[in-house]
Amino acid sequence: MSEIQKKTSVKGKKTKKRKNKYNNNLYLYVQILVTAIFVVASVMLKVKDGEAFYSVKEDYSQFFTTEITEYSNFSYKKYIEKITADIAEKYDIMMQTAAYIYGKGTNDTYPANISLQKYVPEEKGIMPLKGIITSEFGVRKNPFNKKQKDFHTGIDIAAEKGVFIKAAFDGKVIETGYTDVAGNYIKIKTDDEMQTFYGHTQFVLVQENENIIKGQIIATVGDTGMVTGPHLHFEVLYNDNRVNPKYTVE
């Protein structure tokens, strides 16, 4: 091997060594950052919501007990995207827990059949209506008394009166009716574990015991019941507990 080839080979090895060192350092920095976020979040979650804390711990335990060398071929971009999504999800649960705790200190009503845990069905449903989400699932200011808070058990989707509402999942209509709060409503049972609720509708276009398929038109947007304007109040119940609908549809 010539002197030039030897120098090139040595230079290549040094460059590769520096690159591997850089990759390992970058991975270590990301690991430290995630650890710091995890520690802060875990302290808050363990104090306020033990179940959420152990969920976070379980998600990341495998990652932090794996040798760095096993990640030599993984994509930093995809990894960071996944970590970002995971942290956002846990942050959402943490903020809902904090909102619940804050709400309880102000004489707010917190329904017994509420679950802050993320529920994702095996087959996601569809959004029943295209519109603007004006109220999310969780503690909010009471729309009729801004000085008070209440727990919103679904999501509100605003749209013009008369716009069609579609079934989010396949199922069977188990109840239709009217209350002073929900207005004209529909309850659809998907299976033994899951139900959906559609409130404040203008016209109900299905009947009890009718079989429904996902995407079928079931009602029109209205302003019946206690409302500040035309919209759909959409709820999802899993094992009789109201869960955040945004994780169940796409």
Side-chain angles (χ1 to χ4, degrees):
M1 182 182 291
S2 68
E3 191 65 27
I4 294 176
Q5 289 176 325
K6 288 181 179 180
K7 289 182 179 180
T8 303
S9 177
V10 171
K11 184 176 180 181
K13 289 179 180 179
K14 288 182 178 179
T15 302
K16 186 176 181 180
K17 187 175 181 180
R18 284 197 299 270
K19 185 177 181 181
N20 289 337
K21 183 178 180 181
Y22 170 77
N23 286 341
N24 286 339
N25 285 341
L26 177 59
Y27 177 83
L28 183 60
Y29 297 151
V30 172
Q31 190 180 51
I32 291 172
L33 174 62
V34 174
T35 304
I37 295 172
F38 172 74
V39 169
V40 173
S42 64
V43 170
M44 296 180 67
L45 288 171
K46 193 168 186 180
V47 172
K48 306 299 184 183
D49 186 351
E51 188 175 351
F53 165 76
Y54 288 110
S55 174
V56 176
K57 182 179 179 182
E58 183 179 350
D59 286 348
Y60 291 103
S61 61
Q62 183 177 0
F63 170 74
F64 287 110
T65 56
T66 305
E67 294 295 332
I68 290 177
T69 53
E70 294 186 26
Y71 289 89
S72 57
N73 295 321
F74 83 101
S75 166
Y76 285 111
K77 182 178 179 181
K78 290 183 179 179
Y79 168 72
I80 292 173
E81 287 176 351
K82 181 181 184 303
I83 290 296
T84 301
D86 286 349
I87 291 174
E89 178 187 326
K90 301 305 178 186
Y91 176 79
D92 188 42
I93 294 174
M94 183 173 65
M95 292 305 293
Q96 288 185 41
T97 304
Y100 155 58
I101 294 167
Y102 174 73
K104 288 201 72 173
T106 56
N107 297 320
D108 297 324
T109 300
Y110 184 80
N113 61 335
I114 289 292
S115 174
L116 298 180
Q117 296 302 307
K118 175 181 176 181
Y119 166 64
V120 181
E122 291 185 7
E123 182 179 346
K124 282 192 172 185
I126 62 170
M127 285 293 284
L129 175 68
K130 290 183 178 180
I132 300 172
I133 295 179
T134 55
S135 188
E136 296 277 5
F137 177 88
V139 176
R140 64 173 183 178
K141 288 184 178 180
N142 188 310
F144 301 99
N145 187 345
K146 300 298 184 181
K147 294 181 179 180
Q148 294 182 355
K149 291 184 174 64
D150 60 19
F151 196 100
H152 193 228
T153 54
I155 58 174
D156 287 347
I157 310 171
E160 291 185 6
K161 197 171 180 179
V163 172
F164 289 135
I165 298 169
K166 299 178 180 179
F169 298 89
D170 295 341
K172 184 176 183 178
V173 179
I174 58 173
E175 187 178 338
T176 63
Y178 176 89
T179 69
D180 291 338
V181 176
N184 296 323
Y185 69 87
I186 305 170
K187 288 184 182 179
I188 298 177
K189 184 176 182 179
T190 299
D191 51 40
D192 290 339
E193 297 178 332
M194 185 176 173
Q195 295 180 23
T196 49
F197 178 89
Y198 309 80
H200 305 307
T201 67
Q202 179 188 32
F203 298 116
V204 172
L205 304 178
V206 292
Q207 298 178 342
E208 291 186 11
N209 298 318
E210 183 177 343
N211 291 321
I212 302 297
I213 60 172
K214 181 167 66 175
Q216 179 178 336
I217 295 171
I218 58 173
T220 57
V221 174
D223 53 4
T224 58
M226 291 185 64
V227 296
T228 56
H231 71 277
L232 168 69
H233 174 78
F234 175 56
E235 292 185 4
V236 175
L237 292 86
Y238 176 67
N239 285 332
D240 294 326
N241 288 317
R242 293 179 175 94
V243 296
N244 194 332
K246 74 177 183 181
Y247 296 123
T248 68
V249 296
E250 55 187 1

